[in-house]
Amino acid sequence: MNAFNQHPGQEFRVRDLHELLGMPTDGPYLNVTHSRLGRLARQGFLTRPGRGRYQKTDLTTSEG
């Protein structure tokens, strides 16, 4: 979530996050991250503005 907090409003792909954070970009590592981001999206912390993209949910406007 730290990358999303540092870049508010920006969409990320899993590979982009791995490159930004200096993590391995091999298939198995990407699969684990994709799974975890999917869970955060289902819990409402992230949105999916496009296929394979994740963005932090703006909680201030959704409570309105």
Side-chain angles (χ1 to χ4, degrees):
M1 289 298 291
N2 194 27
F4 291 100
N5 290 334
Q6 291 177 0
H7 305 279
Q10 183 174 346
E11 297 176 13
F12 287 101
R13 289 183 175 271
V14 174
R15 184 173 297 276
D16 296 339
L17 281 173
H18 275 246
E19 290 173 356
L20 179 70
L21 299 173
M23 297 171 61
T25 56
D26 297 341
Y29 294 102
L30 296 178
N31 290 341
V32 170
T33 302
H34 181 72
S35 175
R36 290 179 179 168
L37 291 177
R39 186 177 320 131
L40 289 171
R42 288 189 298 278
Q43 292 173 347
F45 294 106
L46 299 176
T47 58
R48 291 181 175 163
R51 185 168 188 238
R53 299 173 194 267
Y54 297 90
Q55 184 176 22
K56 185 175 177 185
T57 303
D58 185 2
L59 297 176
T60 59
T61 58
S62 63
E63 292 177 2

